[in-house]
Amino acid sequence: MEDVLILAIETSCDDTSIALVRNGKEVLANKISSQIAIHNQTGGVIPEIASRQHCDNILYVLEEVLKTSGTKLHQIDAVAVTAGPGLVGSLLVGIEVAKTISLLMSKPLIGVHHIKGHIYANYIENDFDFPIVSLVVSGGHTEIVLQTNHYEFKRLYSTSDDAIGECYDKVARILNLEYPGGPIIDRLAKSGQFIEDIKYTYTKNESFTYSGLKSAVINYVNTAKMKDQEVNAADVAFTFQEYAIFQLLDKLVDAINLYNPNQVFLCGGVAANSRLRELVSKQNVAVFYPQMQYCTDNAVMVAAYAYFQYLKNDFSDLNLNANPNLKM
Ligand code: KG4
Ligand code: ZN
């Protein structure tokens, strides 16, 4: 089969990322301009600021990718871009650049679903052996997805309120920790102990739910502050994390028992979590996760799934628009 060289763009949230990938696996260049330092000042992403940053950065990132890989735009076979879900203003920046390249270079345009991208971050280092169950856990998503081939995705579970990563970030914020809070809570929790006074009961239902847990933690911290009691951040981190990860594991184990997958993938920023990895690795199933740089948002994962869309001639036209609620 002929080689397929895809230029991919990902701007769904706060990272401006562009990558050049051959056959969905071979990474020729991968550049990310992170906005973490900017969003750290506000304790989270402000959409308007994120899209302005994308506008400022995207052409530099593109130039870097072409320069470091020694590639000219006419050499690519297609240009792929995240079309959703995500922040509409952020998505639009990537989409407009992708459309311009497609039009100027007469190359096919491929609109990619962000979650499919997160799942296909695993394709960089592994071949797929279906059925596959993927746990997609990030700042914007908490989902379990079943796949029986490259083109059919069945969402088994999603969240009825907050995403798990968002909840990590909010708990970090109330503890006066930096953004993003996930990695800091993960680290702190290692030296923490369980706090009985964080009142939370997990009730099993059809969806993930994180707002009740978030409120329980916030209430505990606020009450302690009001009474001038010391808040032990490590203990709060430990307790929060045990509840947060337990829920993931509970539903993941249900999915494994129901669908008997050959592979389980952990995807998205929260897949970096050490407690999650520890507990999932104890299950009797082959578990995979991408390298850290491909867990968080990146354009390589977009190129990886775009490769399969390319093979199916699943192209978009120039009417491609940002869709914050894009369905799988
Ligand atoms: O996939 P990602 O880069 O962006 C979205 O698509 O949302 O995920 C970012 C999220 C943040 O909420 C961050 O706090 C969380 O992933 N995260 C973690 C860890 N590393 C990153 N959460 C828990 N434990 C970690 N080690
Ligand atoms: Zn993401």
Side-chain angles (χ1 to χ4, degrees):
M1 206 184 344
E2 297 260 303
D3 281 341
V4 178
L5 184 61
I6 293 181
L7 179 81
I9 302 176
E10 153 63 44
T11 60
S12 68
C13 187
D14 61 338
D15 291 306
T16 317
S17 177
I18 302 186
L20 199 60
V21 181
R22 191 179 285 137
N23 302 333
K25 270 189 189 289
E26 202 184 321
V27 182
L28 306 191
N30 173 32
K31 297 285 165 199
I32 300 187
S33 168
S34 166
Q35 304 177 6
I36 281 185
I38 292 158
H39 299 300
N40 203 352
Q41 293 163 19
T42 45
V45 178
I46 295 182
E48 175 66 22
I49 294 179
S51 34
R52 280 167 194 252
Q53 287 297 316
H54 287 307
C55 289
D56 284 354
N57 297 335
I58 195 160
L59 294 181
Y60 295 108
V61 177
L62 175 63
E63 208 178 322
E64 274 285 300
V65 163
L66 296 175
K67 209 163 71 189
T68 54
S69 61
T71 306
K72 299 272 182 274
L73 274 180
H74 68 81
Q75 293 174 304
I76 64 170
D77 294 299
V79 54
V81 63
T82 305
L87 302 172
V88 67
S90 290
L91 288 165
L92 274 171
V93 179
I95 289 174
E96 288 311 314
V97 171
K99 281 188 191 174
T100 308
I101 294 171
S102 166
L103 185 67
L104 287 177
M105 298 286 136
S106 302
K107 300 291 179 185
L109 176 68
I110 304 175
V112 179
H113 192 287
H114 185 73
I115 299 296
K116 293 181 185 172
H118 271 302
I119 295 171
Y120 277 72
N122 288 281
Y123 187 70
I124 313 297
E125 284 179 309
N126 304 293
D127 285 325
F128 281 20
D129 183 9
F130 298 105
I132 294 171
V133 165
S134 295
L135 174 70
V136 187
V137 275
S138 72
H141 301 278
T142 317
E143 307 194 350
I144 296 181
V145 178
L146 171 71
Q147 266 183 280
T148 45
N149 60 52
H150 287 297
Y151 299 102
E152 279 164 276
F153 297 80
K154 185 174 180 211
R155 204 165 76 169
L156 302 177
Y157 301 103
S158 63
T159 174
S160 59
D161 41 58
D162 297 349
I164 183 167
E166 185 187 351
C167 199
Y168 264 93
D169 296 335
K170 291 205 171 122
V171 167
R173 199 171 174 190
I174 188 139
L175 293 172
N176 296 319
L177 305 171
E178 289 199 340
Y179 171 84
I184 308 173
I185 292 191
D186 188 3
R187 189 164 21 85
L188 272 177
K190 292 186 199 303
S191 59
Q193 290 182 352
F194 195 78
I195 304 175
E196 296 288 342
D197 282 349
I198 295 182
K199 299 286 179 217
Y200 177 72
T201 321
Y202 167 61
T203 349
K204 199 177 175 89
N205 62 23
E206 287 309 298
S207 306
F208 291 108
T209 166
Y210 281 101
S211 71
L213 175 57
K214 181 184 70 188
S215 303
V217 174
I218 292 177
N219 284 344
Y220 169 81
V221 174
N222 284 342
T223 309
K225 280 182 186 163
M226 246 159 30
K227 292 183 183 163
D228 250 350
Q229 288 166 348
E230 201 195 322
V231 173
N232 183 316
D235 291 349
V236 175
F238 176 83
T239 312
F240 160 72
Q241 178 160 283
E242 286 305 295
Y243 282 128
I245 302 294
F246 174 82
Q247 232 191 91
L248 296 183
L249 210 72
D250 184 42
K251 288 208 177 349
L252 186 61
V253 169
D254 285 353
I256 292 169
N257 291 338
L258 263 167
Y259 297 101
N260 200 18
N262 289 327
Q263 293 172 318
V264 166
F265 294 159
L266 306 183
C267 335
V270 184
N273 186 269
S274 59
R275 183 70 173 140
L276 174 66
R277 289 182 178 190
E278 179 196 335
L279 293 174
V280 177
S281 68
K282 290 182 182 153
Q283 304 305 312
N284 190 20
V285 63
V287 181
F288 301 83
Y289 35 81
Q291 282 177 37
M292 188 54 208
Q293 59 170 329
Y294 303 136
C295 279
T296 49
D297 288 348
N298 67 88
V300 172
M301 69 187 201
V302 176
Y305 191 66
Y307 171 67
F308 288 92
Q309 289 185 248
Y310 183 95
L311 296 182
K312 247 200 150 186
N313 289 326
D314 178 8
F315 301 129
S316 308
D317 61 26
L318 293 174
N319 291 317
L320 179 70
N321 206 350
N323 184 347
N325 305 311
L326 189 64
K327 297 269 175 296
M328 274 199 150

